[in-house]
Amino acid sequence: MTLPDSAVVPDAAGPLVDAMAQLHKAAATLELPDGLHELLGSPRREMAVSIPLRRDDGSIAVYSGYRVQHNFTRGPAKGGLRYAPSVDLDEVRALAMWMTWKCALVDVPYGGAKGGVAIDPRTHSTAELERVTRRYTSEILPIIGPEVDIPAPDIGTDERTMAWIMDTYSVARGYTVTGIVTGKPLSLGGSQGRAMATSRGVAHIALLAMASRGIDPAHATAAVQGFGKVGYGAARFLAEAGVKVRAVSDVDGAVYAHDGLDIAHLAAHVERTGTVAGFDGAEAIDPASVLTLDVDVVVPAAVEGVLTEENAPKVQARIVVEGANGPTTGAADAILKERDVLVVPDILANAGGVVVSYFEWVQANQAYQWSEREVNDRLEERMARAWHDVVAHSGAHGMTYREAATVLAVERVVDAHRLRGLYP
């Protein structure tokens, strides 16, 4: 099967290449006709916007922003908003496609979307980021809504960003619309357990993966790349389960302790200094080495494309749990498969965030708040169900977990599409 000429054609390298290759393989396995394959590979809607910003010193800067809605077949589009200098349209397209598969895999009634602004939030004041967020929201306002497309936090954004989006949207509508975003502050209709949901899901899946390989958490070791929203929580929950987290890294450095880092003290250090670098409870190491340390589990929890053809042969871990979206390139995937390294794919491993985002959206629609215990119990049940679905499909069809997860997700979207039909 070949990709139809009219489908989105990515650049020669990057996350969209990997996303399209994964879809191509799933489509071939499912023997999808070319037209349906093309439909699944093409975003339903894309918007690129120019975002002018009056900076605090009075100068004017202009940034590029994007919102891509990949699929609506199973429900409204859902996906995060990323602020990073590297953001471009192909990256957002890939992330939106992965969101479609992620939502289908964990059986939440959403399609996939993603947004991004090519800006470095670390070099802007809070007031500047608020102005950027509100202008971006006003530009994409015609294509978002609680029944259309629901943004959420991602790299470089947080619950405060979501509050600005909610307020901007609500002002435009003339009444408060809490369901327009998820990942909001609790006082504005957010959900208990949402802040740590992705991390908690990563830890649940990592522990299930360890059990599948006969690894006792009490005698296990791990390394986590990234110490932000996902990485910190993943490290914390793994440590609470008895795993020795030997190393973590962020954009400024990496630290290592053979007998395990004190995650609580490290988090306090990061709160004071903004980085893991300089933590006196560990030794400094090369950040690139975190992925190849002698540990049982590696959790890449930062950005895409960090496990590559160059470093995959050096990975010593028996298990890779993808806390980030698209951290493993296609070439690295093939190498890790050959070396019998178990790779738990992003659309399974880090789906906890969208699961609890769904719970938050449901609570907003009901004007009712669940307890944190209810949220966490339902999250664990949903993640365990998806894990067992993937393991069963993998075993029955001789697939890697990524192949099995993608085939299952694509098949669910295809089934919904076939039931709905094509209009007109």
Side-chain angles (χ1 to χ4, degrees):
M1 181 183 297
T2 59
L3 190 65
D5 292 339
S6 57
V8 170
V9 178
D11 293 334
L16 188 55
V17 172
D18 293 326
M20 295 292 269
Q22 291 162 17
L23 170 60
H24 179 80
K25 193 165 190 176
T29 299
L30 294 168
E31 299 182 343
L32 301 183
D34 284 351
L36 189 50
H37 183 188
E38 179 179 0
L39 178 68
L40 295 173
S42 302
R44 287 288 297 274
R45 185 183 291 146
E46 297 181 343
M47 180 176 278
V49 298
S50 178
I51 306 168
L53 167 68
R54 187 182 302 279
R55 301 208 61 173
D56 293 340
D57 63 6
S59 64
I60 302 295
V62 181
Y63 303 96
S64 295
Y66 310 95
R67 189 70 184 176
V68 174
Q69 296 163 344
H70 175 256
N71 192 276
F72 301 111
T73 303
R74 300 182 73 253
K78 187 78 184 78
L81 170 62
R82 173 174 296 192
Y83 285 178
S86 61
V87 165
D88 62 24
L89 186 54
D90 273 359
E91 177 185 61
V92 178
R93 285 169 169 165
L95 294 167
M97 183 184 294
W98 282 323
M99 278 301 300
T100 296
W101 314 143
K102 187 182 302 184
C103 292
L105 185 64
V106 293
D107 196 24
V108 297
Y110 290 139
K114 204 73 177 185
V117 178
I119 187 172
D120 186 348
R122 298 177 302 171
T123 63
H124 291 73
S125 69
T126 299
E128 288 174 340
L129 292 174
E130 180 176 357
R131 292 196 289 274
V132 164
T133 301
R134 290 184 182 275
R135 183 58 181 257
Y136 170 79
T137 304
S138 69
E139 294 288 346
I140 68 166
L141 194 142
I143 66 167
I144 62 173
E147 297 175 340
V148 182
D149 179 0
I150 307 108
D154 197 81
I155 293 171
T157 60
D158 54 21
E159 64 176 23
R160 180 175 58 186
T161 317
M162 297 304 106
W164 293 333
I165 294 175
M166 188 195 88
D167 182 68
T168 306
Y169 184 89
S170 297
V171 168
R173 291 290 178 257
Y175 55 92
T176 298
V177 185
T178 58
I180 178 56
V181 290
T182 59
K184 303 179 296 294
L186 282 173
S187 58
L188 294 178
S191 174
Q192 298 282 352
R194 173 60 183 89
M196 286 290 181
T198 305
S199 302
R200 193 177 293 276
V202 168
H204 283 320
I205 294 298
L207 293 170
L208 288 169
M210 282 187 263
S212 74
R213 288 283 173 115
I215 299 173
D216 180 355
H219 301 99
T221 56
V224 179
Q225 185 200 44
F227 204 65
K229 293 185 187 70
V230 179
Y232 157 63
R236 170 190 154 188
F237 293 131
L238 287 173
E240 288 176 358
V243 178
K244 290 182 180 178
V245 180
R246 284 182 170 170
V248 300
S249 65
D250 62 16
V251 295
D252 297 311
V255 290
Y256 174 89
H258 181 80
D259 293 329
L261 295 161
D262 186 322
I263 301 300
H265 286 167
L266 178 58
H269 170 82
V270 172
E271 182 69 23
R272 290 193 307 271
T273 67
T275 177
V276 302
F279 178 54
D280 60 10
E283 62 180 283
I285 60 172
D286 178 5
S289 71
V290 169
L291 297 170
T292 59
L293 290 173
D294 182 12
V295 292
D296 296 304
V297 180
V298 162
V299 181
V303 295
E304 61 269 8
V306 296
L307 282 167
T308 66
E309 188 174 12
E310 286 70 36
N311 62 7
K314 304 174 187 176
V315 170
Q316 299 183 68
R318 296 168 60 188
I319 301 170
V320 173
V321 180
E322 295 186 335
N325 292 311
T328 309
T329 67
D333 230 8
I335 293 168
L336 294 172
K337 177 182 178 180
E338 181 67 24
R339 299 183 58 229
D340 194 32
V341 176
L342 174 61
V343 178
V344 185
D346 47 6
I347 63 171
L348 171 60
N350 69 28
V354 76
V355 169
V356 178
S357 280
Y358 169 58
F359 295 163
E360 180 178 334
W361 182 71
V362 169
Q363 292 170 78
N365 290 339
Q366 296 174 334
Y368 181 79
Q369 191 171 73
W370 303 347
S371 70
E372 185 169 1
R373 180 174 179 177
E374 286 179 290
V375 171
N376 291 340
D377 286 350
R378 294 182 191 202
L379 169 64
E380 183 173 3
E381 186 276 331
R382 190 72 67 113
M383 297 298 292
R385 188 197 315 165
W387 163 265
H388 291 301
D389 286 348
V390 170
V391 171
H393 200 82
S394 170
H397 299 279
M399 298 176 174
T400 67
Y401 284 9
R402 189 186 311 283
E403 292 164 348
T406 306
V407 166
L408 278 171
V410 170
E411 187 172 36
R412 289 172 183 175
V413 176
V414 167
D415 287 345
H417 174 75
R418 285 175 170 155
L419 287 168
R420 289 181 61 156
L422 185 63
Y423 176 82

